[in-house]
Amino acid sequence: MAAEGHNVDANLVDMRPNHGHYFVKKTFGKPAYCHHCCDKIWGMLTTGYSCEMCNFVCHEKCLRTVVSYCSSVALQLIKNPVAHTWSAPCLIKRKYCCVCRKRTDDALSVECEVCEYYVHVDCSDLAVSDCKEAATYVANMESANTVQYHHMREGNLPKESKCIVCRKTCFSTECLAGMRCEWCGQTAHAVCYRQMDKECDFGVLRKIMLPPMCLTIPRTELPMEQLLNISSHDQPQSLSSPSKIQADDVSTSGEDVKEREDFEIIRVFDGNNSYRSQDSLRRYHVVRFYVQEKEDPHDHAVFVGNLPVSLAQRQYERILLKLLGAKEKPFTAIGPIYFEYGSLIITFNTPKAATAAVQKLQSAIYEEKKLIVLCLPNVQPQMIPKDVEPLLVLVNVKSGGCQGTELIQSFRKLLNPFQVFDVLNGGPLVGLYVFRNIPKYKILACGGDGTIGWVLQCLDIAKQDAACFSPPCGIVPLGTGNDLARVLRWGGGYTGEENPMDILKDVIEADTVKLDRWAVVFHEEERNQPTSSGNQTEMNEQTMNNPEDQTSMIIMNNYFGIGIDADVCLKFHNKRDANPEKFQSRLFNKTQYAKIGLQKMFFERTCKDLWKRIELEVDGRIIELPNIEGIVVLNLLSWGSGANPWGTSKEEGNFSKPTHYDGLLEVVGISDVSRLGLIQSKLAAGIRIAQGGSIRITTHEEWPVQVDGEPHIQPPGTITILKSALKAQMLKKAKKSRRGGATNATSLTHPHPETSESMSGPLGVPSTLGDPNHGKTTPDNTAADSDEEGDAFL
């Protein structure tokens, strides 16, 4: 440093009063790019300027117009710090550190899971806590007087980004340059972005965005990861609390004292060492805090899951009081209680009480299960514009290998992170409760057919107390079969190449359609066991008094199967349950299905003569069965990963054209395992047996059955399939000629043919019984030729 009164180096340009940079004139021996205008600094021996603090590089002509602040002073400029939520450290490709402006693929780095902030682990102490502020509602705020401003982030722009001001390319793969709004996605040059409109309209996602001004979160000591329902990651020492001093490091034995008496040991700790976001000594001195006394306009809700199922409310209260170590209720209310899932909501009137409860319960274990505890945000529905239908995103992160994890990160960055939920952390009920007061919204379920069924089942439970009784549900297919997604044009499986932004645009343009749902009722026949006359009389009385003990019900959305297809499905599920880590790809799963089918063909024929061993009734009429080993009852014209057992023959005969909203089921026979393989390979069709609104199957022995791909062994008895009163609205992807092309004439403002209600109930639907061999084989039997269903398989 130059002494006072001496001249400073002529090559040094001190811009610290303006943007904190400490520029030094530099001759670049290799190609360099200006971080301000993105242009190349031409020539191998060209002179430019570089900041000694943050490595910002620019032309001499750009020196006086630089608008980017130096990392050394950026911490002092944050008025309302919002902590980032860091990912696990890794080498991040094709990104730049927001602190030192160097590439992140040459050193361990982390990224924020909510915004586009990237930083080296070694630079994390200087990371600016300026994440997206996703909950900004305060008491007495009015929607008409609220303005949302851009949240600009420098660098790491998407490819082909265009400046909103000058319309020229503004992204760079060579340096950290350009500006981008974290909410609307508008991009601009650093020299142009000051000319942008200050108000942000959320861009193309405005119609499904949950506005920050409608959300409140408790002002607590809880980390942002827990408030956002994000699983915590193991972090390196520079991002977490420092290791404890080991005992041998501070040994005080006499010998050690003698050896060290001429030395003085000083330890300085300057890391993240507490629960609060601003905990480094260096950060403490450079960050300014603005303390304001604000009233919380709402009660504070805490979700508690993994409790025992089907208990009484008083029993749940006793469990909570015991875990909280309290004699009196510290919460103001309990409920709703989701008895089927062993989860509930408890409400507190102060954030301090809610925080204390969360900190106690999150480490609690009951009946050898760790509780799931989440502090939930609160939505103020009056602050949501009338033309906005927020999108509730529910993601199964374990579906499709690691694709669910990638998707949930993308959706958190594109949308408000408080509208994106991981269903493995509390289930769909968490998000449905948060959205309970919104009068109109949509759902995007990301997972396989099992996840979609789970979401619809939870919606049946939660909608009783919700302002929106039946929100339409879209799908991102992450499973193996994805049959419902195929029918609704969302495709046969997410590959990872699709742009998440395009998926959200498709949700906005999607049509709302009806989906029939069916109740599959299993009733076991009474088992005759040798007993004494007295015990027999007692057993008969119990059976007469409790007939429901032998009856169960499952809601069906896609299809039901009994016999050979359910047997193969059951063997596959048993293998997957034994080694779940091996079943991570669709190709491997389908290969295992084929392998099991071949084993059944040559070595096991357990379903032989099924047609002689069961009875089938359709709408009260007994049906004579052909020589088959399996029966499939279809609600969709997609089964077993896109196959169509019903076939696409134009000769419908006495059958009506099937749809998923006509109140009818299609009954198809499968002759043997070889025909099953041909159907799944889309080379043949099954045997059309009947079409009707109620199905009854009587069995006298155990049979493998499956409902929507979930198999089990069913004891002898009756299986009845009836139209359920639980209806669902789904989102069907609009037709497009090409990606980005115009949609078809059907839009959300025009009624769709499928939005009409089904013709009649389960007992009033006329059945259509046809020749068992009608439509038996057609080489081209996929659903691609069907007007209503076919586009799913294109």
Side-chain angles (χ1 to χ4, degrees), residues 239-280:
L239 284 171
S240 60
S241 58
S243 302
K244 294 181 180 180
I245 304 172
Q246 301 297 322
D248 56 353
D249 288 338
V250 291
S251 175
T252 56
S253 63
E255 184 178 351
D256 289 339
V257 171
K258 291 179 181 179
E259 292 179 357
R260 299 181 184 181
E261 61 184 2
D262 295 332
F263 299 93
E264 182 179 3
I265 300 176
I266 299 176
R267 286 186 173 89
V268 178
F269 294 96
D270 187 26
N272 296 331
N273 193 22
S274 76
Y275 290 104
R276 296 171 176 80
S277 59
Q278 309 294 337
D279 41 33
S280 164

Short mmCIF file of all heavy atoms in Angstrom, two decimals, residues 239-280:
data_model
loop_
_atom_site.label_atom_id
_atom_site.label_comp_id
_atom_site.label_asym_id
_atom_site.label_seq_id
_atom_site.Cartn_x
_atom_site.Cartn_y
_atom_site.Cartn_z
N LEU A 239 -18.87 -24.20 4.46
CA LEU A 239 -20.27 -23.83 4.38
C LEU A 239 -21.05 -24.26 5.61
O LEU A 239 -22.24 -24.04 5.69
CB LEU A 239 -20.91 -24.46 3.14
CG LEU A 239 -20.57 -23.81 1.80
CD1 LEU A 239 -21.09 -24.66 0.68
CD2 LEU A 239 -21.09 -22.41 1.72
N SER A 240 -20.42 -24.90 6.54
CA SER A 240 -21.10 -25.36 7.74
C SER A 240 -20.30 -24.95 8.97
O SER A 240 -19.27 -24.29 8.88
CB SER A 240 -21.29 -26.89 7.69
OG SER A 240 -20.03 -27.52 7.60
N SER A 241 -20.78 -25.35 10.12
CA SER A 241 -20.08 -24.98 11.36
C SER A 241 -18.72 -25.64 11.43
O SER A 241 -18.53 -26.75 10.98
CB SER A 241 -20.93 -25.39 12.56
OG SER A 241 -21.16 -26.77 12.53
N PRO A 242 -17.73 -24.99 12.00
CA PRO A 242 -16.39 -25.57 12.07
C PRO A 242 -16.35 -26.78 12.96
O PRO A 242 -17.15 -26.94 13.86
CB PRO A 242 -15.56 -24.43 12.64
CG PRO A 242 -16.53 -23.59 13.37
CD PRO A 242 -17.82 -23.68 12.63
N SER A 243 -15.40 -27.66 12.66
CA SER A 243 -15.25 -28.87 13.47
C SER A 243 -14.87 -28.49 14.89
O SER A 243 -14.20 -27.49 15.14
CB SER A 243 -14.19 -29.77 12.86
OG SER A 243 -14.52 -30.10 11.54
N LYS A 244 -15.29 -29.34 15.81
CA LYS A 244 -14.94 -29.10 17.21
C LYS A 244 -13.46 -29.38 17.43
O LYS A 244 -12.87 -30.23 16.81
CB LYS A 244 -15.79 -30.01 18.11
CG LYS A 244 -17.28 -29.66 18.06
CD LYS A 244 -18.07 -30.56 18.99
CE LYS A 244 -19.54 -30.21 18.95
NZ LYS A 244 -20.33 -31.08 19.84
N ILE A 245 -12.88 -28.66 18.37
CA ILE A 245 -11.47 -28.87 18.68
C ILE A 245 -11.31 -30.21 19.37
O ILE A 245 -11.99 -30.50 20.34
CB ILE A 245 -10.96 -27.74 19.59
CG1 ILE A 245 -11.21 -26.39 18.92
CG2 ILE A 245 -9.50 -27.91 19.91
CD1 ILE A 245 -10.92 -25.23 19.83
N GLN A 246 -10.45 -31.03 18.82
CA GLN A 246 -10.22 -32.33 19.42
C GLN A 246 -9.45 -32.19 20.74
O GLN A 246 -8.70 -31.25 20.96
CB GLN A 246 -9.43 -33.23 18.45
CG GLN A 246 -10.15 -33.44 17.12
CD GLN A 246 -11.47 -34.15 17.32
OE1 GLN A 246 -11.58 -35.04 18.16
NE2 GLN A 246 -12.47 -33.74 16.56
N ALA A 247 -9.60 -33.18 21.60
CA ALA A 247 -8.97 -33.12 22.92
C ALA A 247 -7.45 -33.09 22.83
O ALA A 247 -6.79 -32.40 23.59
CB ALA A 247 -9.43 -34.32 23.76
N ASP A 248 -6.89 -33.86 21.85
CA ASP A 248 -5.44 -33.89 21.76
C ASP A 248 -4.88 -32.58 21.22
O ASP A 248 -3.67 -32.34 21.32
CB ASP A 248 -4.97 -35.06 20.88
CG ASP A 248 -5.60 -35.02 19.51
OD1 ASP A 248 -6.49 -34.16 19.29
OD2 ASP A 248 -5.19 -35.83 18.66
N ASP A 249 -5.74 -31.74 20.62
CA ASP A 249 -5.27 -30.45 20.13
C ASP A 249 -5.04 -29.46 21.27
O ASP A 249 -4.35 -28.47 21.12
CB ASP A 249 -6.27 -29.85 19.14
CG ASP A 249 -6.27 -30.60 17.82
OD1 ASP A 249 -5.25 -31.26 17.53
OD2 ASP A 249 -7.28 -30.52 17.10
N VAL A 250 -5.70 -29.67 22.40
CA VAL A 250 -5.60 -28.72 23.52
C VAL A 250 -5.06 -29.44 24.76
O VAL A 250 -5.48 -29.17 25.87
CB VAL A 250 -6.96 -28.07 23.80
CG1 VAL A 250 -7.33 -27.14 22.68
CG2 VAL A 250 -8.04 -29.15 24.01
N SER A 251 -4.17 -30.37 24.53
CA SER A 251 -3.61 -31.12 25.66
C SER A 251 -2.90 -30.18 26.61
O SER A 251 -2.20 -29.26 26.21
CB SER A 251 -2.64 -32.18 25.12
OG SER A 251 -1.99 -32.83 26.18
N THR A 252 -3.08 -30.42 27.90
CA THR A 252 -2.47 -29.54 28.91
C THR A 252 -1.58 -30.32 29.87
O THR A 252 -1.41 -29.95 31.02
CB THR A 252 -3.58 -28.84 29.72
OG1 THR A 252 -4.43 -29.84 30.30
CG2 THR A 252 -4.38 -27.91 28.84
N SER A 253 -1.03 -31.42 29.37
CA SER A 253 -0.13 -32.18 30.24
C SER A 253 1.11 -31.35 30.55
O SER A 253 1.48 -30.45 29.81
CB SER A 253 0.27 -33.49 29.56
OG SER A 253 0.99 -33.23 28.39
N GLY A 254 1.79 -31.69 31.63
CA GLY A 254 2.96 -30.93 32.06
C GLY A 254 4.05 -30.91 31.02
O GLY A 254 4.71 -29.89 30.81
N GLU A 255 4.26 -32.03 30.37
CA GLU A 255 5.32 -32.11 29.37
C GLU A 255 5.03 -31.17 28.21
O GLU A 255 5.92 -30.48 27.71
CB GLU A 255 5.45 -33.55 28.89
CG GLU A 255 6.60 -33.75 27.90
CD GLU A 255 6.73 -35.21 27.49
OE1 GLU A 255 6.03 -36.07 28.10
OE2 GLU A 255 7.51 -35.48 26.58
N ASP A 256 3.74 -31.16 27.79
CA ASP A 256 3.38 -30.29 26.67
C ASP A 256 3.53 -28.83 27.03
O ASP A 256 3.95 -28.01 26.22
CB ASP A 256 1.93 -30.55 26.25
CG ASP A 256 1.79 -31.91 25.57
OD1 ASP A 256 2.82 -32.40 25.08
OD2 ASP A 256 0.67 -32.45 25.54
N VAL A 257 3.20 -28.50 28.28
CA VAL A 257 3.32 -27.11 28.69
C VAL A 257 4.76 -26.65 28.65
O VAL A 257 5.07 -25.54 28.21
CB VAL A 257 2.71 -26.92 30.10
CG1 VAL A 257 3.01 -25.53 30.62
CG2 VAL A 257 1.21 -27.18 30.07
N LYS A 258 5.67 -27.52 29.09
CA LYS A 258 7.08 -27.16 29.07
C LYS A 258 7.59 -26.95 27.65
O LYS A 258 8.36 -26.06 27.37
CB LYS A 258 7.90 -28.24 29.76
CG LYS A 258 7.67 -28.31 31.27
CD LYS A 258 8.50 -29.42 31.89
CE LYS A 258 8.25 -29.51 33.39
NZ LYS A 258 9.05 -30.61 34.00
N GLU A 259 7.11 -27.85 26.74
CA GLU A 259 7.58 -27.74 25.36
C GLU A 259 7.03 -26.50 24.68
O GLU A 259 7.64 -25.96 23.78
CB GLU A 259 7.16 -28.99 24.57
CG GLU A 259 7.89 -30.25 25.03
CD GLU A 259 7.45 -31.47 24.25
OE1 GLU A 259 6.53 -31.32 23.41
OE2 GLU A 259 8.01 -32.57 24.45
N ARG A 260 5.85 -26.03 25.14
CA ARG A 260 5.18 -24.95 24.43
C ARG A 260 5.26 -23.63 25.19
O ARG A 260 4.61 -22.67 24.79
CB ARG A 260 3.70 -25.30 24.22
CG ARG A 260 3.50 -26.56 23.39
CD ARG A 260 2.02 -26.84 23.20
NE ARG A 260 1.78 -28.08 22.50
CZ ARG A 260 0.57 -28.54 22.19
NH1 ARG A 260 -0.50 -27.84 22.53
NH2 ARG A 260 0.44 -29.68 21.56
N GLU A 261 5.99 -23.58 26.27
CA GLU A 261 5.96 -22.37 27.09
C GLU A 261 6.53 -21.15 26.38
O GLU A 261 6.23 -20.03 26.77
CB GLU A 261 6.74 -22.63 28.39
CG GLU A 261 8.19 -22.97 28.18
CD GLU A 261 8.89 -23.30 29.49
OE1 GLU A 261 8.21 -23.29 30.54
OE2 GLU A 261 10.10 -23.56 29.45
N ASP A 262 7.31 -21.38 25.31
CA ASP A 262 7.85 -20.25 24.55
C ASP A 262 6.97 -19.86 23.38
O ASP A 262 7.34 -18.99 22.60
CB ASP A 262 9.26 -20.59 24.04
CG ASP A 262 10.23 -20.79 25.20
OD1 ASP A 262 9.99 -20.17 26.25
OD2 ASP A 262 11.20 -21.56 25.03
N PHE A 263 5.83 -20.53 23.23
CA PHE A 263 4.98 -20.25 22.07
C PHE A 263 3.59 -19.81 22.54
O PHE A 263 3.12 -20.20 23.62
CB PHE A 263 4.83 -21.49 21.19
CG PHE A 263 6.15 -21.98 20.64
CD1 PHE A 263 6.89 -22.97 21.31
CD2 PHE A 263 6.66 -21.46 19.47
CE1 PHE A 263 8.08 -23.42 20.82
CE2 PHE A 263 7.85 -21.91 18.97
CZ PHE A 263 8.57 -22.89 19.63
N GLU A 264 2.96 -19.01 21.72
CA GLU A 264 1.59 -18.58 21.98
C GLU A 264 0.71 -19.05 20.83
O GLU A 264 0.98 -18.74 19.67
CB GLU A 264 1.51 -17.06 22.10
CG GLU A 264 0.10 -16.57 22.42
CD GLU A 264 0.05 -15.07 22.56
OE1 GLU A 264 1.10 -14.44 22.34
OE2 GLU A 264 -1.02 -14.54 22.87
N ILE A 265 -0.31 -19.84 21.14
CA ILE A 265 -1.20 -20.40 20.11
C ILE A 265 -2.48 -19.57 20.07
O ILE A 265 -3.14 -19.38 21.09
CB ILE A 265 -1.53 -21.87 20.40
CG1 ILE A 265 -0.24 -22.69 20.42
CG2 ILE A 265 -2.52 -22.42 19.37
CD1 ILE A 265 -0.45 -24.14 20.80
N ILE A 266 -2.79 -19.06 18.90
CA ILE A 266 -4.01 -18.26 18.71
C ILE A 266 -4.87 -18.96 17.66
O ILE A 266 -4.39 -19.27 16.56
CB ILE A 266 -3.68 -16.84 18.25
CG1 ILE A 266 -2.82 -16.13 19.31
CG2 ILE A 266 -4.95 -16.06 17.98
CD1 ILE A 266 -2.36 -14.77 18.89
N ARG A 267 -6.11 -19.21 18.00
CA ARG A 267 -7.04 -19.79 17.03
C ARG A 267 -8.12 -18.75 16.71
O ARG A 267 -8.74 -18.20 17.61
CB ARG A 267 -7.69 -21.05 17.57
CG ARG A 267 -6.74 -22.25 17.60
CD ARG A 267 -7.50 -23.51 18.01
NE ARG A 267 -6.67 -24.69 17.90
CZ ARG A 267 -5.89 -25.14 18.87
NH1 ARG A 267 -5.84 -24.48 20.01
NH2 ARG A 267 -5.16 -26.21 18.69
N VAL A 268 -8.33 -18.51 15.41
CA VAL A 268 -9.34 -17.55 14.97
C VAL A 268 -10.38 -18.32 14.18
O VAL A 268 -10.06 -18.99 13.20
CB VAL A 268 -8.71 -16.44 14.10
CG1 VAL A 268 -9.79 -15.49 13.62
CG2 VAL A 268 -7.65 -15.69 14.89
N PHE A 269 -11.63 -18.22 14.61
CA PHE A 269 -12.72 -18.89 13.90
C PHE A 269 -13.56 -17.84 13.18
O PHE A 269 -14.01 -16.88 13.77
CB PHE A 269 -13.60 -19.67 14.88
CG PHE A 269 -12.88 -20.82 15.52
CD1 PHE A 269 -12.29 -20.69 16.76
CD2 PHE A 269 -12.76 -22.02 14.85
CE1 PHE A 269 -11.62 -21.74 17.34
CE2 PHE A 269 -12.09 -23.09 15.42
CZ PHE A 269 -11.52 -22.95 16.67
N ASP A 270 -13.74 -18.04 11.88
CA ASP A 270 -14.50 -17.08 11.08
C ASP A 270 -15.35 -17.85 10.08
O ASP A 270 -15.19 -17.75 8.89
CB ASP A 270 -13.55 -16.13 10.34
CG ASP A 270 -14.34 -15.03 9.65
OD1 ASP A 270 -15.44 -14.73 10.11
OD2 ASP A 270 -13.84 -14.51 8.63
N GLY A 271 -16.21 -18.67 10.57
CA GLY A 271 -17.05 -19.47 9.68
C GLY A 271 -18.50 -19.35 10.07
O GLY A 271 -18.87 -18.60 10.95
N ASN A 272 -19.33 -20.11 9.40
CA ASN A 272 -20.75 -20.12 9.71
C ASN A 272 -20.95 -20.97 10.95
O ASN A 272 -20.91 -22.18 10.90
CB ASN A 272 -21.55 -20.69 8.53
CG ASN A 272 -21.41 -19.81 7.32
OD1 ASN A 272 -21.22 -18.61 7.46
ND2 ASN A 272 -21.49 -20.38 6.13
N ASN A 273 -21.18 -20.33 12.08
CA ASN A 273 -21.06 -21.02 13.36
C ASN A 273 -22.34 -20.95 14.19
O ASN A 273 -22.30 -21.11 15.39
CB ASN A 273 -19.89 -20.42 14.14
CG ASN A 273 -19.50 -21.29 15.32
OD1 ASN A 273 -19.78 -22.46 15.33
ND2 ASN A 273 -18.87 -20.68 16.31
N SER A 274 -23.47 -20.63 13.58
CA SER A 274 -24.71 -20.58 14.34
C SER A 274 -25.87 -20.91 13.43
O SER A 274 -25.69 -21.20 12.26
CB SER A 274 -24.91 -19.19 14.96
OG SER A 274 -25.32 -18.28 13.98
N TYR A 275 -27.07 -20.82 13.98
CA TYR A 275 -28.25 -21.16 13.19
C TYR A 275 -28.68 -20.01 12.31
O TYR A 275 -29.48 -20.18 11.40
CB TYR A 275 -29.41 -21.53 14.13
CG TYR A 275 -29.22 -22.83 14.82
CD1 TYR A 275 -28.84 -22.86 16.17
CD2 TYR A 275 -29.39 -24.04 14.16
CE1 TYR A 275 -28.65 -24.07 16.83
CE2 TYR A 275 -29.20 -25.24 14.81
CZ TYR A 275 -28.84 -25.25 16.15
OH TYR A 275 -28.65 -26.42 16.79
N ARG A 276 -28.19 -18.84 12.55
CA ARG A 276 -28.65 -17.69 11.78
C ARG A 276 -27.84 -17.55 10.50
O ARG A 276 -26.76 -18.10 10.36
CB ARG A 276 -28.54 -16.41 12.62
CG ARG A 276 -29.47 -16.45 13.84
CD ARG A 276 -29.21 -15.30 14.77
NE ARG A 276 -30.15 -15.28 15.87
CZ ARG A 276 -30.05 -16.05 16.94
NH1 ARG A 276 -29.07 -16.90 17.04
NH2 ARG A 276 -30.96 -15.97 17.90
N SER A 277 -28.41 -16.80 9.54
CA SER A 277 -27.79 -16.73 8.22
C SER A 277 -26.54 -15.87 8.21
O SER A 277 -25.59 -16.15 7.49
CB SER A 277 -28.80 -16.16 7.22
OG SER A 277 -29.21 -14.88 7.63
N GLN A 278 -26.49 -14.81 9.01
CA GLN A 278 -25.33 -13.91 9.00
C GLN A 278 -24.49 -14.19 10.23
O GLN A 278 -24.73 -13.63 11.30
CB GLN A 278 -25.78 -12.45 8.99
CG GLN A 278 -26.79 -12.12 7.90
CD GLN A 278 -26.20 -12.26 6.55
OE1 GLN A 278 -24.98 -12.19 6.41
NE2 GLN A 278 -27.00 -12.43 5.53
N ASP A 279 -23.54 -15.12 10.14
CA ASP A 279 -22.85 -15.56 11.33
C ASP A 279 -21.34 -15.47 11.24
O ASP A 279 -20.65 -15.68 12.21
CB ASP A 279 -23.24 -17.01 11.65
CG ASP A 279 -23.31 -17.85 10.39
OD1 ASP A 279 -22.52 -17.58 9.48
OD2 ASP A 279 -24.15 -18.76 10.34
N SER A 280 -20.78 -15.19 10.08
CA SER A 280 -19.35 -15.02 9.97
C SER A 280 -18.95 -13.66 10.54
O SER A 280 -19.66 -12.68 10.37
CB SER A 280 -18.93 -15.11 8.49
OG SER A 280 -17.64 -14.60 8.32
#
